[in-house]
Amino acid sequence: MRGAVIHAPGDVRFEQRDDPKIIKPTDAIIRTVATCVCGSDLWAYRGIDPVTEPQPMGHEYVGVVQEVGGEVTSVKPGQFVIGSFATSDNTCPNCRNGYQSSCVNREFMSTCQAEYVRIPQAQGTLVATPDRPADELVPSLLTLSDVMGTGWYAAMAAEVKPGSTVAVVGDGAVGLCGVIAAKELGAERIIAMSRHESRQKLARTFGATDIVTERGDEGVARIKDLTDGVGADSVLECVGTSEAMRQALRSTRPGGNVGFVGVPHGVAIDGEELFFSHVGLRGGPAPVRGYLPDLIDRVWAGRIDPGKVFDLTLPLEEVAEAYRAMDERRAIKALLHP
């Protein structure tokens, strides 16, 4: 088969790779219907995460089951399925407590920008859709593999409640999906922090009521201005930089909560400042698997359309261009069709 391989920062190639095979009885093989490039993939592409040898790329996927191991009974060949970027048996104590992304048998997917993918722990990881989806639903279903589920977790971790005020730090796909989540969870006011007109427009389409273009201390001051000097009830940190975390913490009211889902790079939190802020902080890799049945229902019923975050669609063989477009911020998120 063919798939994406990163050889060095800025060097992603589409090349021959070994066909995946059933290795364990808990595995499944899927034929990829759609995959994509994630903002977190850019850490390696930009050389911030080291690339020491060629390695496959990609952790978001939807597809059709081709083959299952002997212990997999929850899905069968021919079904259209979605799975999380983090595999899970969905039975261990961490899974039962709702944190499937901390499953004791967890593996992080990293080979999904390809024509076929082996899914470990398929019994607990994959969820089948009610039927084969129409083509127009595929982009939204693909977001559930990561960015929509991650935006949802950001809102849950920040304890978004009906009638609340929410601020979203980050206007990438996860942040925009966080706007959707906040809206679905009943937030009355949703403040999207963005400097890019196309992303601002999409944020408003998803439910943002206010746009803040300022960053850093000026961004914090603007949030305070919009909230009678108090701060937001819930803040979603969807970037992963020190500046974004600082902005999120300082934009939250005492007693409010920050949900942080941006993969941290260089983030350090001052313990004394956190102590006196009375701000709650929770985050980590999103337990996407736990949200999949509910989010599939919302997409299937037309309640949410997170697939709009894909503003570039390319054949998988043009994966290098997908990376370039996202790196240069010419695209919010690039969808790839094998």
Side-chain angles (χ1 to χ4, degrees):
M1 71 166 188
R2 298 174 300 169
V5 177
I6 188 168
H7 287 256
D11 183 8
V12 172
R13 307 176 195 175
F14 186 63
E15 56 190 36
Q16 290 295 128
R17 286 170 31 192
D18 292 339
D19 291 340
K21 294 179 173 59
I22 298 291
I23 298 173
K24 298 179 180 179
T26 50
D27 292 346
I29 306 296
I30 67 168
R31 174 179 58 80
T32 307
V33 170
T35 183
C36 55
V37 179
C38 183
S40 64
D41 293 330
L42 298 180
W43 293 113
Y45 188 76
R46 292 168 174 165
I48 298 169
D49 286 349
V51 181
T52 57
E53 61 183 7
Q55 58 191 49
M57 292 293 287
H59 56 264
E60 298 161 282
Y61 56 96
V62 294
V64 176
V65 178
Q66 301 296 292
E67 184 181 359
V68 297
E71 295 181 13
V72 178
T73 59
S74 60
V75 296
K76 60 186 179 181
Q79 287 186 305
F80 187 97
V81 293
I82 308 166
S84 168
F85 63 88
T87 70
S88 58
D89 58 29
N90 213 28
T91 60
C92 81
N94 293 337
C95 289
R96 294 198 303 271
N97 284 323
Y99 281 82
Q100 290 90 342
S101 49
S102 280
C103 177
V104 298
N105 291 307
R106 176 190 67 193
E107 295 182 41
F108 286 114
M109 298 297 298
S110 61
T111 64
C112 298
Q113 290 163 4
E115 294 171 323
Y116 293 88
V117 184
R118 181 180 73 91
I119 311 295
Q121 297 295 329
Q123 178 81 6
T125 300
L126 296 177
V127 178
T129 55
D131 203 342
R132 286 287 188 100
D135 289 347
E136 57 267 25
L137 284 184
V138 169
S140 285
L141 293 171
L142 177 58
T143 68
L144 307 188
S145 186
D146 184 354
V147 289
M148 185 62 233
T150 295
W152 194 270
Y153 175 57
M156 296 292 287
E159 298 186 15
V160 174
K161 294 180 172 61
S164 62
T165 294
V166 177
V168 181
V169 179
D171 63 358
V174 171
L176 291 166
C177 287
V179 172
I180 294 175
K183 179 72 172 178
E184 287 292 293
L185 292 171
E188 183 174 309
R189 193 173 195 185
I190 303 171
I191 305 166
M193 307 191 83
S194 172
R195 289 180 167 180
H196 301 87
E197 185 176 352
S198 62
R199 301 178 187 221
Q200 294 170 3
K201 183 178 179 180
L202 190 52
R204 287 197 180 277
T205 298
F206 286 159
T209 57
D210 302 86
I211 302 293
V212 167
T213 59
E214 295 86 351
R215 293 182 181 175
D217 291 341
E218 292 181 356
V220 173
R222 183 66 182 134
I223 295 291
K224 294 289 182 70
D225 287 344
L226 291 171
T227 56
D228 298 323
V230 177
D233 301 308
S234 300
V235 178
L236 283 52
E237 192 283 296
C238 304
V239 182
T241 63
S242 180
E243 179 187 45
M245 178 63 81
R246 185 166 55 250
Q247 185 168 294
L249 287 169
R250 295 177 179 177
S251 297
T252 311
R253 66 165 175 82
N257 296 278
V258 172
F260 70 103
V261 295
V263 180
H265 285 74
V267 175
I269 298 169
D270 184 290
E272 185 174 355
E273 180 179 351
L274 184 63
F275 180 80
F276 284 104
S277 71
H278 277 133
V279 170
L281 183 62
R282 171 174 284 153
V288 167
R289 172 60 182 85
Y291 305 140
L292 276 176
D294 176 44
L295 293 179
I296 289 171
D297 285 347
R298 292 173 192 260
V299 168
W300 210 262
R303 286 185 55 181
I304 61 174
D305 187 12
K308 289 178 178 178
V309 299
F310 292 110
D311 55 350
L312 177 65
T313 299
L314 294 170
L316 182 57
E317 63 189 29
E318 295 182 29
V319 62
E321 169 58 18
Y323 274 84
R324 283 192 294 270
M326 287 182 61
D327 179 49
E328 297 166 5
R329 296 184 75 83
R330 290 185 282 114
I332 300 172
K333 193 166 178 68
L335 185 146
L336 300 164
H337 282 300

